[in-house]
Amino acid sequence: MSNTVFKVSKMSYNYPGGLSGLHDIDFSIRQGENVVFLGVNGSGKSTLLKLIDGLYFPDQGTIEAFGEPLTESRLQDETFAFAFRRRVGFLFQDPDSQLFLPTVWQEVAFSPLQMGLVREEVEEKTNAALNALGIEKLKDRVPYQLSEGEKKKVALASLLALDPEVWLLDEPTANLDPRTQDWVIEFILSLTAKGKTLIVAIHELEVAKVIADQAYILGEDHRLAAQGNPQEILQDEALLLRANLMHRHRHVHPALTHRHPHQH
Amino acid sequence: MSRNNFVGKTLAGLTEAIKQAIFAERYARLPGLLQGLDPRGKIITFLSLLIATAITRHLRVMALIYLLTIVLALASRIPLLFFLKRVWLFIPLFTGIIALPAIFNIVTPGQPLITLLTFAAPLNWGPFHLPATITITQQGLHGAEIFILRVATSVSLSVLLVLTTEWARLLQALSALHFPKIAILIFGMTYRYIFLFIKVAEEMFLARRSRTVGRTNTREQQNWLSSRLGFLLNRSYKLSNDVYLAMLSRGWTGHARFLDDFRFQWRDAAWAAFTIIFIGAIIFFGEMK
């Protein structure tokens, strides 16, 4: 049996209105891989994750998930849709998109309930996810009373309640304070230790170096500019400057002014 | 803050709206009489009291139900002044305007109580007729009293139910009572995102204020406000799209499912019995009159 999770061939996508989204994308991701898609804002990273989560559909090319074509008509089949959603979880960049229910507990219980699990299982999975992330005290809180870091933890708990095989994470460390950023990185590393497949859209090179064993660079022309070992790719200054992931920085020292490449 | 600075006043209004809502949610968590009841039973009994208020024709019966709401508010640790303000600030604005014309003999003929104006003869303008004497009538006043008290009692019951039940529990209870689940989901999401957009709007107002020096005229403020309303609409459209995608991603197929942990206890049975006896008594004694 093939252990390919996603196989994307010649995929292109335009936004409604014709604005270019992604061009001629090819890649394949195997089970247990930790992959990062690096690119600047607007390069198409989030769109790419939405395409492989079956939320958008390509204008050209194909996507296969777990060896089967991932198309709009296939996802209309409830059995296929449930099986796919059970195996793939998506963390949205803006937690406010993901947390739409009146309380934290209901939010975390949403997916197990949608999957048709019985009451005892829903309660067990929801409480276990809240405990695992140390946010059981937040269970009766309403989302508008939470900090950004707490919202991110609740969003992660809502995925953990289903414990999917594949985690799609869109800018998981964006807009977080340093302590919560570290916490999220540790959480991601704990998923890799459990053998989960991670596909992360990110623009922070330092975080990418820590979590990835395969990196793809999306250029500003919405095409894949490079792929390979993150340690090698992230050393390629010319590539990173071209993809706008690094910029030249002017330094003034007391006796000297000089320029050198700089990344954030 | 300048009185005619409506941007400033809007900002203050938005902040106040958030504060009020968060403040009011605290009452629902207090250990009071109504807070301890099963929300399903509370919805049914309050609905029964609302129906009794709507159909009774007796002022004393209505006054009795109104008195009950005050006793229940006190037993539920709702500060009386806060409760009265929530109800009576709203009444003159909406109900008073409708009830006021009804007290005059022009709308409700009857036994005069106070004579206000006397003309030499009745006035006729085409289809309009004005009697020679304008009076406040006993029947008109009675009708207005009943109308105002009926609205005040109904609003008091509704306010009391909402103040003593957390919003999420109220929605769960409606679901348990077989209210359409999709409607419950929409109510829940609307309430949740109102706060997000109030916060966005507040930040837009603050950003403007931080960049504004001196006075700006009303037209400029109105133009700015309309452009921001457009922006907010656009943002809400984008967010609603993302929320829908997030729901799909987490297994949404168009069927809303909810869980509740309600337990019907002896105090719920006692409250239900009290409501049945109370409504039975007011029907019995109301009809005797």
Side-chain angles (χ1 to χ4, degrees):
Chain A
M1 196 175 109
S2 162
N3 65 353
T4 302
V5 175
F6 286 113
K7 186 172 187 333
V8 172
S9 311
K10 304 275 174 216
M11 179 179 75
S12 294
Y13 176 80
N14 291 324
Y15 295 110
L19 198 68
S20 178
L22 288 164
H23 273 305
D24 208 19
I25 306 288
D26 279 287
F27 63 84
S28 181
I29 296 172
R30 282 173 298 136
Q31 205 171 13
E33 265 189 316
N34 305 318
V35 177
V36 290
F37 283 91
L38 283 155
V40 290
N41 291 340
S43 60
K45 305 184 299 290
S46 301
T47 305
L48 190 143
L49 291 191
K50 284 172 182 160
L51 281 157
I52 59 175
D53 196 34
L55 300 174
Y56 292 168
F57 299 95
D59 295 321
Q60 284 169 25
T62 57
I63 305 172
E64 279 182 25
F66 308 103
E68 290 197 57
L70 186 68
T71 61
E72 200 163 4
S73 58
R74 287 292 283 132
L75 280 166
Q76 272 160 11
D77 171 6
E78 228 166 70
T79 314
F80 177 82
F82 272 169
F84 177 75
R85 301 290 176 214
R86 179 80 186 75
R87 298 175 83 175
V88 182
F90 189 149
L91 179 81
F92 279 67
Q93 181 178 353
D94 178 5
D96 279 319
S97 309
Q98 203 166 335
L99 310 180
F100 49 83
L101 286 167
T103 69
V104 166
W105 199 92
Q106 288 180 4
E107 196 61 61
V108 179
F110 180 82
S111 285
L113 269 172
Q114 291 308 306
M115 295 297 153
L117 302 184
V118 295
R119 171 190 279 269
E120 290 72 23
E121 269 187 290
V122 172
E123 287 176 349
E124 187 196 318
K125 285 180 186 294
T126 304
N127 294 331
L130 290 169
N131 287 335
L133 273 83
I135 51 169
E136 58 274 39
K137 280 185 191 162
L138 303 180
K139 73 184 176 74
D140 294 322
R141 295 271 294 276
V142 288
Y144 64 81
Q145 292 176 342
L146 303 178
S147 68
E148 286 305 306
E150 286 171 335
K151 281 184 196 171
K152 194 65 96 178
K153 286 184 180 180
V154 174
L156 284 168
S158 71
L159 299 187
L160 191 65
L162 266 194
D163 198 19
E165 294 167 35
V166 182
W167 290 62
L168 307 177
L169 308 174
D170 191 0
E171 300 280 6
T173 51
N175 305 322
L176 297 177
D177 60 80
R179 191 186 299 156
T180 315
Q181 260 189 22
D182 275 352
W183 183 93
V184 171
I185 293 168
E186 288 298 323
F187 180 80
I188 292 172
L189 292 174
S190 75
L191 293 174
T192 67
K194 282 196 243 172
K196 304 288 181 188
T197 307
L198 290 181
I199 305 172
V200 186
I202 207 159
H203 67 267
E204 292 143 314
L205 304 185
E206 288 308 315
V207 179
K209 277 179 196 167
V210 177
I211 60 177
D213 45 40
Q214 183 76 258
Y216 291 86
I217 308 274
L218 272 168
E220 289 180 291
D221 60 353
H222 313 287
R223 293 170 188 272
L224 277 182
Q227 70 175 87
N229 181 310
Q231 300 304 331
E232 289 167 17
I233 282 195
L234 299 178
Q235 295 299 323
D236 188 344
E237 286 182 0
L239 170 70
L240 297 178
L241 281 167
R242 216 167 46 244
N244 198 13
L245 286 163
M246 185 181 263
H247 63 100
R248 290 200 180 278
H249 196 74
R250 187 165 170 268
H251 263 307
V252 179
H253 296 287
L256 167 77
T257 297
H258 71 129
R259 287 170 182 272
H260 63 80
H262 180 82
Q263 54 179 258
H264 292 277
Chain B
M1 193 179 295
S2 155
R3 263 174 62 78
N4 52 16
N5 178 354
F6 79 82
V7 170
K9 279 195 279 188
T10 311
L11 172 61
L14 290 173
T15 313
E16 189 56 30
I18 295 180
K19 260 196 239 160
Q20 281 288 328
I22 293 171
F23 198 60
E25 278 262 319
R26 280 189 200 156
Y27 292 125
R29 297 195 194 100
L30 292 176
L33 174 73
L34 290 175
Q35 290 90 335
L37 296 176
D38 184 323
R40 295 169 303 178
K42 221 167 17 173
I43 289 175
I44 292 172
T45 48
F46 271 66
L47 198 61
S48 311
L49 288 167
L50 271 170
I51 293 168
T53 309
I55 59 176
T56 186
R57 289 167 288 133
H58 303 288
L59 198 63
R60 284 184 187 171
V61 169
M62 247 178 262
L64 194 64
I65 303 177
Y66 181 68
L67 198 66
L68 175 71
T69 65
I70 291 181
V71 173
L72 288 173
L74 290 172
S76 305
R77 301 186 180 202
I78 310 289
L80 192 58
L81 195 63
F82 172 80
F83 179 62
L84 293 176
K85 263 165 66 181
R86 278 227 149 183
V87 176
W88 287 101
L89 282 181
F90 155 87
I91 303 287
L93 195 65
F94 296 97
T95 318
I97 292 167
I98 302 165
L100 190 68
I103 65 174
F104 301 108
N105 61 338
I106 310 163
V107 178
T108 317
Q111 202 180 337
L113 273 181
I114 303 166
T115 303
L116 298 174
L117 281 171
T118 308
F119 303 113
L123 300 172
N124 289 300
W125 293 298
F128 301 105
H129 170 75
L130 212 58
T133 313
I134 307 288
T135 60
I136 294 174
T137 65
Q138 195 177 346
Q139 286 81 348
L141 203 61
H142 183 67
E145 278 171 358
I146 286 199
F147 180 62
I148 289 176
L149 194 59
R150 179 171 281 144
V151 173
T153 309
S154 305
V155 172
S156 298
L157 285 165
S158 312
V159 165
L160 204 52
L161 177 67
V162 174
L163 277 180
T164 58
T165 321
E166 284 177 59
W167 177 242
R169 306 274 295 163
L170 198 61
L171 292 180
Q172 279 180 331
L174 286 172
S175 161
L177 294 170
H178 301 290
F179 199 79
K181 289 190 167 49
I182 193 76
I184 295 168
L185 189 72
I186 291 169
F187 286 158
M189 289 171 76
T190 306
Y191 190 74
R192 185 251 179 276
Y193 284 106
I194 279 174
F195 288 99
L196 181 76
F197 284 113
I198 287 179
K199 208 171 157 213
V200 173
E202 190 189 1
E203 279 167 11
M204 289 191 312
F205 281 118
L206 285 175
R208 178 193 151 89
R209 225 162 97 182
S210 75
R211 288 181 283 120
T212 307
V213 180
R215 292 177 72 86
T216 53
N217 63 40
T218 305
R219 177 170 287 276
E220 190 277 332
Q221 291 184 27
Q222 284 170 339
N223 286 342
W224 178 83
L225 191 66
S226 55
S227 82
R228 293 300 85 191
L229 284 173
F231 168 81
L232 210 56
L233 184 71
N234 201 15
R235 184 143 176 203
S236 68
Y237 175 74
K238 189 184 170 306
L239 185 71
S240 67
N241 199 32
D242 275 353
V243 168
Y244 177 63
L245 292 180
M247 290 171 75
L248 280 183
S249 172
R250 292 167 62 198
W252 170 257
T253 53
H255 311 293
R257 296 177 172 93
F258 295 97
L259 268 192
D260 62 66
D261 54 352
F262 299 131
R263 305 273 184 273
F264 200 75
Q265 295 170 321
W266 65 266
R267 57 183 168 205
D268 298 302
W271 165 247
F274 168 77
T275 313
I276 291 166
I277 293 165
F278 184 81
I279 292 175
I282 59 176
I283 291 170
F284 181 73
F285 291 112
E287 291 310 311
M288 292 286 283
K289 285 176 184 171

